[in-house]
Amino acid sequence: MGNSNGKNRTHPVADHEPDYAYKDYGYDYEYDQRNDYDSGWHPDKTYGEAYFHEHNNDSPLTKRRSCTDVLCLILFLVFLGGWGAVAFLGIQGGDISKVIYPTDSQGNICGKGEMTDRQALLMFDLTQCLNPAVLVTGCLTTHVCVNKCPDENYSPLGEAKLGTNQQQIKERMKPFCKPVSDEQFKQDVETLVQKEICPPWYLKSSEVLGRCFPVSMKAEDNDSNEEVVVKRIDTGGDHDITKGEIEGSLYRLGAFLNIRQFGERIFMDLKETYWMIGLALIGACILSFVWIVLMRFLASFMVWVSILTVFLGIGGLLGYSGYRLYFVWLSTDPETHKNIFQLNWTPEIVDDFLKQRDTWMAFTIILGIIFLVIVLLFLFLRQRIMIAIALIEQGSKAVGQMFSSLFFPIIPFLLQLVVVGWFLVVALYLASWGEQEYRVAFKNDRDCSQFEGCSQTVNGSDSVPYQSNDTCTPEEFKPCIDSCPEAMCQFVKYTKNKDYSWMQFVNVFGLYWGVFFFSAFGEIVLAGVFSQWYWTFNKKTDLPDCSLGTAMWNATVFHLGTIAFGSLLIAIIRMIRTMLEYVERKCKRFNNDLTKCLIWCCKCCLWCLEKFMRFINRNAYIMCAVKSTNFCKSAKEAFNLLMRNLVRVVVLDSVVDFLLFLGKLVIVLLTGVASYMTFSGQIPEIKDDIPSLNYFFTPIVFIVIGSYFIASAFFGVYNMAVDTLFLCFLEDLERNDGSVEKPYYMSKSLKKILGKMEKSVNESRHRSP
């Protein structure tokens, strides 16, 4: 306990009051128990002046409010104007269709302009994608926009060489040729293929992200990789086209387009089950809502159900992992003894990963540690858990009487979605704001330097032959193509605008500030609602009719500047973290152990700083909602109040957060188990109605992640209620003493919680040497 005779005393008392020695008053709640716990204070510490000096019993809720942090609000509005200017320039200079739709070899955007009816992109010769340079230059073959992907395997050139009627060949291949005049299309098939107006052959394909990819030709054994798909006579080349070549071409092209067969399968699974995922997420919303409503009446029971469910869930997973580990350990299959670094990155990598002995050993060890930690927490924190449950019950009463607060998080969530959508649109326009870049390529490594027209003027006078990968323009390069058909001026990408970097920086910072702004708006509104509930003396009859509307009005009219201030601090820290990650990626190949260690230390410090600032911001918003003070003053008062009651914070606040987290975990576990039982075919009644999937875990992962965010939104109301009540509770202890003149605003249940906390602290002090 602190010394009662000093100006820095933790809870100063009037001059005539005696200096209390340590006493265990147990559950005598009429005694002024503010002096009855050890707050961690010592003479060298000072955490502001306590509220005991205030002799009136009025609520600290400010009746007349004033605008706070106006300069920060002006700064936020100025930034929004700048962000809007960046968006205007991006929309004016960019074309989002360049990013969404593929582009052919001449720079035409499929599905746009003259190519409106040609929305898919077909590549004439996929075997050209076997060249490793595809990662830099793209696939060095003609790209053409087509109306639809081929639905058959066909070789126009082979049929022409066999003497098939030319008109019949042209009718079948015309949908996959470049759009040319009827006069040009009158040429014979061989000429059309030679001039790369039409493809020499094509395969049955499916459309993926606007591009035509041959249907999977993955063979069951290596020998069939040599099976000929297109004969040499049909290609106009010097060798046959095999299944292995097509599969290899698809793989390398996938690297250039950032897609793989794995990604395609995931996409197809989502396409088949999107409506089921939607229904599951709606179910998660209903389950979360029902859980919150039940907590209003059965808070203690629901918390214990959460604890028991998590305990059994983790224990069940541990048992299942041990069961699988036992059988994998006894297996004689050599595949089970590989380590993760020996696995091949294929679409079947997940199945291969789950076959490994090391996988289930790791799962068992990790789950065993988690299970042990949970058991120890329950054993050693049982008293604190009981206290935290009592406070959650008080929070449930506040939520129950302010029931509209449960639906309020939908508003800031929708506003955050608007910010994210705006960011994505601006990012796409900025990414498409640039010129088309064409580069020189020579098929079959043909040397065209001796041909007329295959040279470029350098420094105004010198004529230098074109080299592979030189930049070019289709108009200037046309003479070279006419004299050397193997030469190509191939579209590669859109170059970035010179102002792209700083504009995208503004866009990313706007995303962070906007998302954190509306998150803070939600917190300060809920803080206003629950502080109004706490500081109303008669909570059954004196509560205002529309506390939520009043809190929204106060936050919108008076405290947007404070919201902008707090969200700006978090946005700056997050932006620094983003820049550090960008630098880490750029310098990855130059990193040694020392630089890696330094970068990770910086990332860890920034993460801790962001967590600390979020804690400060949250309590500052509560103070601002109560007293209408600016951000700095609110943060200072909240921090000092918490530090003056440090033991209570440690005893209660973190345990409450942990218990509410368990509630969210239960929602996730229930939806995850239900989705697993559904998609793995464990429910016979609906097994035949579940679509056939490449990976049954694909919808499960999305359902689990979505359920967590949904549960977080609902439980976030409880979190804010408990945090607000806790801070008001601490101030109530300092303002009042429970006497007739200065009665507590807290309920009898909260007084009981206070007594339990004092007893817990006293017992800890008796046990300490």
Side-chain angles (χ1 to χ4, degrees):
M1 290 176 56
N3 188 348
S4 62
N5 293 321
K7 67 177 182 178
N8 290 328
R9 170 191 173 102
T10 306
H11 294 295
V13 297
D15 294 338
H16 65 276
E17 290 184 321
D19 189 8
Y20 291 102
Y22 169 72
K23 297 179 182 179
D24 184 0
Y25 290 94
Y27 291 90
D28 182 10
Y29 305 121
E30 299 304 319
Y31 173 70
D32 184 0
Q33 298 173 12
R34 294 169 299 172
N35 302 297
D36 204 25
Y37 67 96
D38 183 1
S39 68
W41 174 90
H42 61 76
D44 295 330
K45 285 187 178 181
T46 176
Y47 296 112
E49 188 175 12
Y51 296 105
F52 188 77
H53 68 283
E54 299 188 10
H55 299 290
N56 62 72
N57 190 40
D58 292 339
S59 159
L61 281 174
T62 301
K63 307 302 181 185
R64 295 188 61 185
R65 293 183 174 267
S66 58
C67 296
T68 55
D69 299 296
V70 177
L71 290 178
C72 289
L73 177 59
I74 295 174
L75 178 62
F76 182 64
L77 294 176
V78 170
F79 175 80
L80 290 181
W83 195 11
V86 169
F88 174 77
L89 293 174
I91 294 172
Q92 189 178 49
D95 183 359
I96 200 171
S97 60
K98 296 178 182 178
V99 179
I100 298 176
Y101 301 101
T103 305
D104 69 10
S105 299
Q106 283 67 49
N108 300 312
I109 301 173
C110 299
K112 303 292 290 184
E114 297 179 355
M115 301 292 173
T116 303
D117 58 340
R118 293 173 168 252
Q119 300 180 350
L121 185 72
L122 176 69
M123 286 158 277
F124 279 8
D125 186 1
L126 268 175
T127 60
Q128 296 296 321
C129 301
L130 284 171
N131 190 331
V134 67
L135 298 174
V136 178
T137 63
C139 193
L140 301 180
T141 186
T142 301
H143 299 56
V144 61
C145 298
V146 297
N147 179 261
K148 64 176 183 177
C149 296
D151 56 5
E152 62 175 346
N153 298 338
Y154 187 63
S155 175
L157 183 61
E159 292 291 331
K161 291 182 178 180
L162 292 175
T164 306
N165 183 276
Q166 291 267 325
Q167 192 60 34
Q168 292 179 357
I169 298 174
K170 288 183 180 180
E171 288 179 0
R172 291 181 67 177
M173 73 177 185
K174 186 174 182 179
F176 311 110
C177 298
K178 293 180 181 178
V180 294
S181 64
D182 293 337
E183 188 66 27
Q184 288 180 286
F185 203 69
K186 289 180 179 178
Q187 303 175 83
D188 58 69
V189 173
E190 289 86 347
T191 304
L192 292 173
V193 170
Q194 184 180 8
K195 291 185 175 181
E196 297 192 346
I197 295 175
C198 296
W201 54 273
Y202 52 80
L203 302 174
K204 182 179 180 180
S205 306
S206 59
E207 184 178 337
V208 180
L209 300 179
R211 294 165 175 84
C212 296
F213 289 98
V215 293
S216 179
M217 294 186 174
K218 190 168 183 63
E220 297 297 327
D221 54 72
N222 294 331
D223 292 338
S224 59
N225 280 336
E226 301 300 323
E227 182 181 340
V228 175
V229 178
V230 185
K231 296 181 179 179
R232 177 176 57 185
I233 191 175
D234 299 337
T235 66
D238 56 0
H239 68 286
D240 297 331
I241 305 299
T242 64
K243 281 188 177 182
E245 284 187 287
I246 297 296
E247 194 67 29
S249 302
L250 289 173
Y251 184 83
R252 290 192 181 275
L253 186 60
F256 179 67
L257 298 173
N258 289 325
I259 59 173
R260 289 288 190 275
Q261 198 171 18
F262 178 77
E264 181 182 348
R265 292 182 179 185
I266 294 291
F267 179 79
M268 295 303 296
D269 288 346
L270 291 177
K271 187 176 179 181
E272 291 289 332
T273 60
Y274 72 91
W275 63 274
M276 303 180 74
I277 295 174
L279 288 177
L281 295 181
I282 292 174
C285 286
I286 297 173
L287 180 61
S288 299
F289 181 75
V290 171
W291 194 275
I292 292 296
V293 171
L294 289 176
M295 285 188 69
R296 165 64 182 90
F297 305 100
L298 304 167
S300 178
F301 174 76
M302 297 303 293
V303 171
W304 283 114
V305 167
S306 299
I307 294 173
L308 182 62
T309 303
V310 171
F311 185 80
L312 294 177
I314 300 296
L317 289 174
L318 175 60
Y320 179 74
S321 295
Y323 172 80
R324 290 292 300 268
L325 176 62
Y326 174 77
F327 286 100
V328 170
W329 198 278
L330 297 178
S331 174
T332 57
D333 185 356
E335 291 293 322
T336 62
H337 298 281
K338 290 183 178 179
N339 59 54
I340 190 172
F341 300 105
Q342 294 175 306
L343 299 180
N344 296 320
W345 187 261
T346 65
E348 289 76 28
I349 190 171
V350 175
D351 294 332
D352 295 340
F353 180 72
L354 294 177
K355 293 178 182 177
Q356 307 307 306
R357 181 179 64 182
D358 291 348
T359 299
W360 293 105
M361 182 183 294
F363 284 165
T364 304
I365 293 173
I366 293 171
L367 289 170
I369 293 173
I370 294 174
F371 185 78
L372 179 62
V373 169
I374 291 176
V375 170
L376 293 177
L377 284 175
F378 291 156
L379 289 176
F380 291 102
L381 298 180
R382 61 189 183 280
Q383 182 64 32
R384 296 185 181 185
I385 289 174
M386 295 297 296
I387 299 172
I389 289 175
L391 186 56
I392 291 175
E393 287 179 332
Q394 294 302 303
S396 68
K397 291 180 181 179
V399 173
Q401 288 186 272
M402 304 291 188
F403 200 69
S404 58
S405 62
L406 277 178
F407 303 96
F408 170 73
I410 296 174
I411 296 176
F413 176 72
L414 292 177
L415 292 173
Q416 287 177 322
L417 286 183
V418 171
V419 173
V420 173
W422 175 256
F423 161 78
L424 292 175
V425 170
V426 175
L428 288 174
Y429 273 108
L430 290 177
S432 64
W433 186 10
E435 300 296 328
Q436 294 175 334
E437 180 179 306
Y438 296 84
R439 291 193 175 271
V440 176
F442 299 102
K443 291 188 295 184
N444 302 320
D445 295 327
R446 179 66 183 275
D447 182 7
C448 297
S449 59
Q450 306 301 322
F451 289 88
E452 184 179 357
C454 289
S455 59
Q456 58 182 328
T457 302
V458 180
N459 297 326
S461 59
D462 298 336
S463 181
V464 178
Y466 279 108
Q467 301 294 323
S468 180
N469 211 35
D470 284 347
T471 57
C472 60
T473 60
E475 295 78 12
E476 295 179 357
F477 200 76
K478 191 173 184 306
C480 181
I481 296 176
D482 293 338
S483 57
C484 182
E486 287 81 2
M488 300 175 61
C489 185
Q490 179 82 26
F491 168 79
V492 177
K493 63 180 180 179
Y494 291 97
T495 58
K496 295 291 187 290
N497 183 276
K498 59 187 174 85
D499 297 320
Y500 173 81
S501 296
W502 72 264
M503 286 186 170
Q504 202 64 279
F505 179 91
V506 172
N507 192 38
V508 173
F509 188 79
L511 168 69
Y512 290 151
W513 198 355
V515 168
F516 296 143
F517 179 89
F518 289 117
S519 175
F521 175 78
E523 290 182 352
I524 203 169
V525 169
L526 291 175
V529 171
F530 296 120
S531 62
Q532 179 72 58
W533 181 87
Y534 186 94
W535 293 112
T536 299
F537 199 80
N538 191 331
K539 296 176 174 56
K540 293 184 178 179
T541 60
D542 295 343
L543 284 173
D545 295 331
C546 191
S547 297
L548 180 60
T550 302
M552 291 180 65
W553 170 265
N554 291 338
T556 305
V557 175
F558 299 108
H559 304 313
L560 287 182
T562 299
I563 295 171
F565 195 163
S567 56
L568 173 63
L569 296 177
I570 304 298
I572 291 174
I573 297 172
R574 181 60 63 86
M575 196 68 200
I576 295 173
R577 291 179 62 188
T578 302
M579 293 170 63
L580 184 63
E581 291 175 359
Y582 175 79
V583 171
E584 181 185 20
R585 286 197 302 268
K586 287 293 184 181
C587 302
K588 199 165 188 178
R589 59 178 177 174
F590 304 109
N591 282 354
N592 51 38
D593 292 340
L594 177 61
T595 56
K596 288 180 180 179
C597 180
L598 291 175
I599 289 176
W600 274 102
C601 287
C602 291
K603 291 168 69 175
C604 180
C605 291
L606 288 171
W607 181 85
C608 293
L609 177 61
E610 182 176 330
K611 289 294 182 182
F612 175 74
M613 284 308 304
R614 284 180 179 273
F615 174 78
I616 294 296
N617 282 11
R618 192 178 185 88
N619 289 285
Y621 296 146
I622 296 172
M623 278 295 186
C624 177
V626 173
K627 301 182 177 181
S628 189
T629 51
N630 61 50
F631 179 85
C632 292
K633 186 174 181 180
S634 299
K636 179 182 177 182
E637 290 194 10
F639 182 77
N640 287 336
L641 180 60
L642 291 171
M643 292 304 295
R644 291 197 299 268
N645 298 269
L646 186 59
V647 170
R648 285 188 173 118
V649 175
V650 174
V651 168
L652 199 58
D653 199 45
S654 56
V655 180
V656 169
D657 290 340
F658 175 70
L659 293 180
L660 291 177
F661 171 75
L662 291 184
K664 291 188 284 187
L665 204 58
V666 169
I667 303 296
V668 173
L669 282 174
L670 291 177
T671 54
V673 169
S675 58
Y676 174 81
M677 297 289 289
T678 300
F679 290 106
S680 62
Q682 303 294 322
I683 306 177
E685 290 78 6
I686 62 173
K687 183 177 181 180
D688 295 335
D689 298 325
I690 302 300
S692 178
L693 303 176
N694 295 297
Y695 308 111
F696 76 89
F697 64 81
T698 300
I700 298 175
V701 170
F702 281 85
I703 289 172
V704 167
I705 294 174
S707 299
Y708 178 78
F709 284 110
I710 290 170
S712 296
F714 280 94
F715 279 85
V717 177
Y718 257 87
N719 267 324
M720 200 65 206
V722 171
D723 288 347
T724 303
L725 296 182
F726 184 62
L727 205 63
C728 294
F729 165 75
L730 296 179
E731 182 165 342
D732 193 12
L733 284 177
E734 293 192 352
R735 282 181 173 274
N736 306 300
D737 56 15
S739 63
V740 176
E741 294 79 12
K742 302 181 70 175
Y744 289 128
Y745 278 80
M746 71 182 77
S747 64
K748 292 181 180 179
S749 299
L750 275 175
K751 291 179 184 178
K752 188 175 181 180
I753 294 172
L754 172 62
K756 289 181 179 179
M757 282 195 292
E758 305 305 345
K759 184 179 179 182
S760 177
V761 172
N762 294 337
E763 289 176 351
S764 299
R765 182 161 42 191
H766 282 307
R767 287 195 299 266
S768 62

